[in-house]
Amino acid sequence: MTRKSKLTTISRVEELMLQKTKKQLVYSPIEKIGTIVVDNFPELGKLTALRFLEWAQNNEGSTISLPTGKTPEHFIKWVDYLLHNWNDKKAQKILEEHGVDPKRKPDMRSFYFIQIDEFYPINSTQHNSFFYYVNKFYIRGFGLDAQKALLINPNEIGIRPHETLDEIWPNHIVDLSLRFSYPKDALQKRQQEVLRAVDQFCTDYESRIRELGGIGFFLGGIGPDGHIGFNVRGSNHYSTTRLTQTNYETQAAAASDLGGIEISRNRLVITIGLQTITFNPNTTAIIIAAGEAKAKVVKDAIQSEKSNQVPASALHDLPNARFYITRGAAKLLTERRYLELKEAKEISRQNIYHIVTDLALQKKKRLKDLNKRDFQSIRSSKLLLERFGEKALHFPAEIEASYTKYINNALQIPKHQVILHTAPHHDDIMLGYLPYVVRLMREPTNTHYFNYLTSGFNAVTNSYMLHQLEITQSFFNRPEFQTLFEENYFDPTNPEYRNRDVFQYLDGLAANDEDAMNEGNARRLLRNLVEIFEEDSIENLKNRINELANYFRTQYPGKKDLPYIQQLKGMVREWEADILWGYFGFTCESVIHSRLGFYKGEIFTEEPTIDRDVAPILQNLRRIKPTVVSVAFDPEGSGPDTHYKVLQAVSTALKLYSEETGKKDITIWGYRNVWYRFHPSEANLYIPVTHNTRAILDHAFMNAFGSQKAASFPSYEYDGPFSGLAQKIQVEQYQYMKSLLGRDFFYENKDSRIRSTRGFVFLKVMSLDEFHQHARDLKRTTENI
């Protein structure tokens, strides 16, 4: 029998937000669930916090279930602020203006908290466990009653006193076949007992939730495969709390939490089910999502019919279910995008290009073959006919000419340029546009500098560091190393010797001599240890290496490292960048490592500051005097992440530099890499990629970036190293252009460089003023200003 639920009711907070945005809650029949779109990531957190507090005022004593990770950052900050400053005038004004009664502060100790999910097995005292997270940010942070919390503590499920999870699961791998098979030894027998205890815990957990009437307020994020909780794509909509496996996309997303996909592949999860979430027909269930990276799964969740392949579609039957999303996450919602275009006073050139390009790709036609019937077949292109009349039919020819020009322009290599390539992380430049850099390097009048703006230590695993230390130990007693110590070779301030490290490694690479390459690695690691610890004694360095090796053996993966460990890991990334550009003939003097201070490895990162983060970039601009600056030009992400913060720091430094020098003629190259892509309409320089440049990319990446070869922190889109994903994207972009321009444009082109093209890199070339405008626009869509 189907449970009857009350009709959808819009809360006062939601009503005011809809009035502000001048949008409907749901656009039927395309949309299946109420949706509110806000401008930016902090605004998303603010709206969610106010809706939560409004609900809490009216439902004291009920149950709440709140998410973990980075997405709820601003939700947590706003709830904390409002609860702790409830009676202050500023907080009272915010509450009242957004529809929350400022006279009724909710009794947070009255609520029952329900943890959504947890990795298994994981020590719950670890800072990367969800048990730790919810205790820190919700139980203590919101002032909830710990006695009323239903928590998932793996340390206590089936574990005897003085027994640990590591003893039960020594390799952290759970064999689910033990649910049914006969144990082979005493350890398997004990594992079977604990596994059965976990299964019983899940049943009891589900029963306890139902005894409480189900979940009153559920707040969740949405994963790269559309998962809610850990209910991955394909989950049964009638699923309940259980111990289960995950899929690759979820494992890749969890890799950063757990210290590498090598670990997350083997972790199971305990999660509430989709039916657990929907058991209470009056549940207020809100899914929050920020950024263009979530646009596809958000579109599926809101517009698709109910399906196991779309976990969030299980929420469609809940009248009080909502999606709260940012504009970036909403960009693929069909009806909203169409109405935005229809209501606009003017349709921008980029939007025209976007609409016509998508029309050609959808119809699988060349741009030149589009006709009036094609334009009339889709609402967005039909809108162009309504706005521009017969002139709209000339757009395909204009766009074809522009795209052809963008390709031909890339073949004209600029000369006499001083190019400052900037990057948030050490492989961003190569993954973003190495094929273009290779072409630029062949022009001897150009000068290149490569500025890496964070230390990138989060991408280096403990196991990789341990391996490098073991390699270094093996060289200590060799006579040639004794000689190097006597020559003061490891002086970290001597650029000549730093370059010799690179030459040693590259000579070994050329000779296919792994021992010689390892010697290069060992030389640089010793140099880094001398710099960090100010040691010049071989014996002291041996002791340091033993101490560090013990650290990397004993610390759990994913733990926030001590500052000097972060520095050492970051210097490994810097060494890899030195190798990369040494590969192309650049010495270490051309590679700048800025280590901006906002990058500290916290779950909620700091904002950049002028003195700490902008000043080093400004200093480099003054010294280098670039005519061209490249920057990672990502759209709105899942919030103010590293790429966004670096973009704003570079933009601010360029603004200050331009003001003090009067230089306005600096060209900006915006690039994207494996995390985001340009739509053809967004870029204006299309760099052809041949099989030769693809091979260079792969060989350089796999031999320069040793810490990344194993792909410990991969993309959810590709199970392998980032160089493989970069090539996949380049080929996809070539397929788009071949479809738009026709195969003959490539196969029969007079220029062999076009005939040999099998991939494309897209860049956006901007003037300084254009870049500053884009940076300001991005700032408005990412921050509360």
Side-chain angles (χ1 to χ4, degrees), residues 50-69:
L50 289 161
R51 177 66 185 107
F52 170 67
L53 292 172
E54 177 192 37
W55 177 90
Q57 286 180 332
N58 300 313
N59 293 276
E60 289 184 350
S62 187
T63 54
I64 58 176
S65 201
L66 305 175
T68 54

Side-chain angles (χ1 to χ4, degrees), residues 395-407:
F395 289 149
E398 176 191 332
I399 296 168
E400 179 185 35
S402 293
Y403 288 174
T404 302
K405 177 183 175 183
Y406 299 161
I407 295 171

Side-chain angles (χ1 to χ4, degrees), residues 639-678:
D641 57 10
T642 302
H643 282 213
Y644 163 73
K645 290 176 179 177
V646 165
L647 183 147
Q648 292 299 336
V650 172
S651 174
T652 303
L654 280 166
K655 185 173 186 295
L656 294 173
Y657 176 69
S658 177
E659 289 173 351
E660 72 178 37
T661 64
K663 286 184 67 64
K664 300 286 186 181
D665 58 347
I666 299 173
T667 300
I668 306 299
W669 294 344
Y671 68 90
R672 293 178 181 170
N673 55 34
V674 296
W675 300 114
Y676 301 99
R677 296 102 198 253
F678 282 116

Side-chain angles (χ1 to χ4, degrees), residues 25 48 83 93 99 155 170 184 275 404 421 513 576 607 620 680 685 693:
L25 179 66
T48 310
L83 286 176
K93 183 179 179 182
N155 289 2
K184 297 177 181 179
Q275 190 181 67
T404 302
H421 307 266
D513 184 343
E576 292 173 342
E607 296 298 322
N620 288 328
L685 192 66
T693 48

Side-chain angles (χ1 to χ4, degrees), residues 320-337:
N320 297 317
R322 302 282 189 271
F323 265 74
Y324 290 175
I325 57 180
T326 65
R327 288 177 62 85
K331 70 175 294 185
L332 297 181
L333 295 182
T334 310
E335 190 69 15
R336 292 171 191 264
R337 176 167 171 76

Side-chain angles (χ1 to χ4, degrees), residues 21 38 56 90 93 141 225 238 248 253 264-265 280-281 301 357 438 482 525 591 622 660 672 682 737 755 775:
T21 61
V38 298
K90 183 178 178 181
K93 183 179 179 182
D225 68 325
Y238 297 99
Y248 170 74
S264 59
R265 281 190 199 277
N280 176 2
T357 298
V438 171
Q482 300 289 334
L525 185 55
V591 188
R622 290 166 175 160
E660 72 178 37
R672 293 178 181 170
E682 297 175 310
M737 299 316 301
R755 292 199 304 273

